[in-house]
Amino acid sequence: MDYDVIYIGSGNAAWQGGRFLRKAGLKILIIEESLYGGTCANRGCNSKALLDAPYEIKALGDNFEGVGKSGNFEVDWPSLMKFKRKRIANMAPFLDGKFKEYDLDVAHGKGVIVDEHTVKVGDETYTTDKIVICTGLKPVIPDIPGKEYLHDSTDYLDIDELPKHAIIIGAGFVGMEFASILAEAGLSADVIIRGDMALKYFHQPYVQRVIEILKEKNIRFHFNQTVKEVISNVEIDDPVTKVLNLKNALNSDEILRDPEAKIDNKAYENGFTVNCESGLSLTGDYVVAAIGRTANVEDIGLENVGLTYTKQGIKVNGHLQTDVANIYASGDVADTGIAKLVTVAIHHSKYLAKELLGEADEITYPVVPAVAYTIPRIATVGVPVYVADKSDDYEVHTIRYGNSYSLELKNDTTAEAKVIVDKDLQIVGAEIYAADAENVANMFAFIINKKITLEELDYMIYAFPSSSSVCLYKLHNIHYDL
């Protein structure tokens, strides 16, 4: 065999564990057809975090409107994008250097499984004892007329200028986070949702609060709508249709609120019309498909070894093993029933290193915090409220720490958490709505995973002021009241 383990894909699902296998003496090959590091490093998490940060700061500054704020903080998107491109361009070379440091072999090209022990990259063929598929997910583009006019998250995160009026199809992580950026930028958008809720895995009262904020900032929501087609307005010859599309664009919330507002006719004439099955018709200058992601496994040779997959990925057992004994799947491409997050991919990769060294039982998972990076943020960790509300085994406590500690929270009066405890008053879950919900979620993840009791929390001393400390101080009320 040329290698002990071949990873197809170079993201966190691969190299995080591969380095430990190499340290243990195994010979490792990582295959990558695009940029080293995969989606998160080059086209996802890092780009989104960098582009979102100034708008987060702007929103925090707005908390001091009328109580100290002077002037406006404006984000210069072109210069921000230039900075983002420069920073992200360094990611793949940086990881290339790390792979060399870890003594991991790499092959650039598309990895195709030939048989259970053979992978081909271009004209080169490699043999191996184990294969780990780490190809992740790819954006779903609906198969509708005009799909060629749709942009995905990769396109949006590299756009030269923000659209004046975007049409966003979908209201999951991508759709809602993009809508928040547009709202803070003073632009407008229409969000089309196939079902009756946005961010369906999060606490819906908190989601609704975000929606109301977005509505106030010229983001319109259209629930229970199915997109039928996308039409380029440039290609419409009928002048009557063009007039109707422009009229539809003019009938927007920004015009209804401000009759003096101006619509850039040229932008709409050169834009797109999205028609829904209900008859709803929307016009904008940029259309984003944000309806989810699916397993990125086309043309990698799964059929050559009899493996099948669904949009959730390749089915694996408790050892991340596929139906072929020596082939594994790690990260987003693995159908485990666990949230598809980069943090989970890292967990998979580190576990799999131990598994392949014969040092692990079946994989287990700690509670996994998830965050929607809207403005403000929403987070969930552990047992959710909708589960707790249906069971006598749990109690839900509302912690309005922003209302009590707004001075310590940079004038954020709305920060709130729903904390779920079991019959022994052990914290088992939390839903958070706050400007820095991600940090509070991490605090609860630690509490839940380590089973820290309310009494132990009450004994500890915290750095003050801080969002975690004021939330914890309010949390003590559960202990005192009961």
Side-chain angles (χ1 to χ4, degrees), residues 266-323:
K266 187 175 181 180
Y268 283 96
E269 288 173 0
N270 294 334
F272 305 90
T273 295
V274 176
N275 292 321
C276 297
E277 292 180 358
S278 67
L280 175 68
S281 183
L282 301 167
T283 300
D285 57 337
Y286 196 84
V287 188
V288 182
I291 59 175
R293 301 172 74 82
T294 189
N296 183 30
V297 292
E298 289 184 1
D299 304 321
I300 66 167
L302 294 186
E303 68 281 0
N304 295 332
V305 287
L307 286 179
T308 59
Y309 65 95
T310 67
K311 65 180 181 179
Q312 282 78 33
I314 303 169
K315 195 69 178 178
V316 294
N317 63 17
H319 298 268
L320 300 183
Q321 187 178 40
T322 70
D323 290 337

Side-chain angles (χ1 to χ4, degrees), residues 23-87:
K23 190 174 182 179
L26 276 65
K27 193 174 181 184
I28 308 299
L29 175 67
I30 292 178
I31 299 171
E32 176 58 63
E33 66 172 324
S34 185
L35 296 171
Y36 294 135
T39 296
C40 187
N42 300 288
R43 301 179 297 277
C45 325
N46 291 343
S47 296
K48 170 58 174 59
L50 195 154
L51 295 172
D52 164 84
Y55 295 100
E56 177 190 12
I57 292 170
K58 177 185 177 299
L60 290 172
D62 289 344
N63 287 342
F64 292 90
E65 189 71 52
V67 287
K69 177 184 173 185
S70 177
N72 292 315
F73 177 84
E74 300 292 340
V75 180
D76 179 4
W77 181 268
S79 65
L80 178 63
M81 180 56 65
K82 182 178 179 181
F83 175 62
K84 170 254 166 184
R85 287 171 176 163
K86 182 178 179 181
R87 290 295 302 272

Side-chain angles (χ1 to χ4, degrees), residues 194-481:
R194 186 165 188 169
D196 58 0
M197 65 176 68
L199 292 170
K200 62 182 179 180
Y201 297 112
F202 290 83
H203 186 49
Q204 285 303 299
Y206 290 166
V207 174
Q208 193 57 43
R209 290 189 193 181
V210 171
I211 288 175
E212 291 305 316
I213 289 173
L214 293 175
K215 283 181 177 180
E216 292 174 1
K217 298 182 177 182
N218 287 331
I219 309 297
R220 298 186 294 180
F221 289 83
H222 309 274
F223 291 93
N224 300 304
Q225 298 287 343
T226 300
V227 174
K228 181 174 67 175
E229 62 182 354
V230 181
I231 299 170
S232 169
N233 294 340
V234 174
E235 298 178 4
I236 298 175
D237 295 325
D238 179 13
V240 175
T241 303
K242 282 193 173 184
V243 170
L244 287 174
N245 286 343
L246 182 57
K247 181 181 178 182
N248 181 55
L250 289 167
N251 186 28
S252 66
D253 286 353
E254 57 191 306
I255 295 297
L256 293 175
R257 288 195 188 89
D258 182 6
E260 300 301 318
K262 303 294 184 183
I263 288 288
D264 186 340
N265 291 18
K266 187 175 181 180
Y268 283 96
E269 288 173 0
N270 294 334
F272 305 90
T273 295
V274 176
N275 292 321
C276 297
E277 292 180 358
S278 67
L280 175 68
S281 183
L282 301 167
T283 300
D285 57 337
Y286 196 84
V287 188
V288 182
I291 59 175
R293 301 172 74 82
T294 189
N296 183 30
V297 292
E298 289 184 1
D299 304 321
I300 66 167
L302 294 186
E303 68 281 0
N304 295 332
V305 287
L307 286 179
T308 59
Y309 65 95
T310 67
K311 65 180 181 179
Q312 282 78 33
I314 303 169
K315 195 69 178 178
V316 294
N317 63 17
H319 298 268
L320 300 183
Q321 187 178 40
T322 70
D323 290 337
V324 180
N326 71 303
I327 300 179
Y328 299 77
S330 174
D332 289 353
V333 78
D335 181 7
T336 61
I338 303 296
K340 294 182 182 294
L341 302 168
V342 65
T343 47
V344 175
I346 294 170
H347 184 74
H348 281 178
S349 191
K350 290 180 177 179
Y351 162 81
L352 200 49
K354 294 181 180 179
E355 165 68 19
L356 295 180
L357 290 172
E359 300 173 358
D361 297 320
E362 285 197 4
I363 190 170
T364 58
Y365 296 89
V367 294
V368 179
V371 182
Y373 285 88
T374 51
I375 299 175
R377 319 301 201 196
I378 312 173
T380 182
V381 56
V383 177
V385 167
Y386 76 86
V387 171
D389 282 342
K390 297 176 183 178
S391 173
D392 293 333
D393 295 330
Y394 304 109
E395 290 182 352
V396 179
H397 297 265
T398 302
I399 309 296
R400 296 187 177 91
Y401 61 100
N403 187 52
S404 301
Y405 290 97
S406 62
L407 293 178
E408 292 80 6
L409 293 179
K410 302 177 180 65
N411 216 34
D412 178 8
T413 62
T414 60
E416 181 178 307
K418 299 278 186 179
V419 180
I420 299 93
V421 298
D422 62 17
K423 289 184 176 180
D424 296 322
L425 299 186
Q426 186 69 50
I427 297 173
V428 294
E431 314 264 14
I432 307 104
Y433 172 88
D436 64 344
E438 65 270 36
N439 293 320
V440 178
N442 285 336
M443 175 192 75
F444 277 111
F446 185 79
I447 291 170
I448 296 167
N449 283 317
K450 293 300 181 182
K451 300 186 185 302
I452 301 173
T453 66
L454 287 169
E455 185 174 3
E456 289 169 329
L457 290 172
D458 189 36
Y459 172 76
M460 297 179 192
I461 298 173
Y462 309 104
F464 179 88
S466 63
S467 56
S468 55
S469 69
V470 296
C471 183
L472 284 162
Y473 284 136
K474 290 291 289 183
L475 197 63
H476 295 174
N477 292 341
I478 302 174
H479 175 62
Y480 290 137
D481 293 346

Side-chain angles (χ1 to χ4, degrees), residues 125-190:
T125 299
Y126 304 93
T127 58
T128 182
D129 184 28
K130 311 286 186 184
I131 297 171
V132 184
I133 303 169
C134 312
T135 49
L137 304 176
K138 62 181 180 180
V140 173
I141 299 296
D143 188 14
I144 57 174
K147 64 182 179 181
E148 64 270 21
Y149 303 124
L150 296 174
H151 297 275
D152 61 23
S153 58
T154 301
D155 299 327
Y156 192 96
L157 290 171
D158 201 43
I159 192 171
D160 291 325
E161 293 277 0
L162 285 175
K164 294 182 178 180
H165 187 103
I167 299 174
I168 302 171
I169 306 171
F173 288 96
V174 171
M176 292 294 283
E177 289 172 0
F178 286 174
S180 284
I181 287 178
L182 291 170
E184 293 302 321
L187 300 167
S188 60
D190 282 285

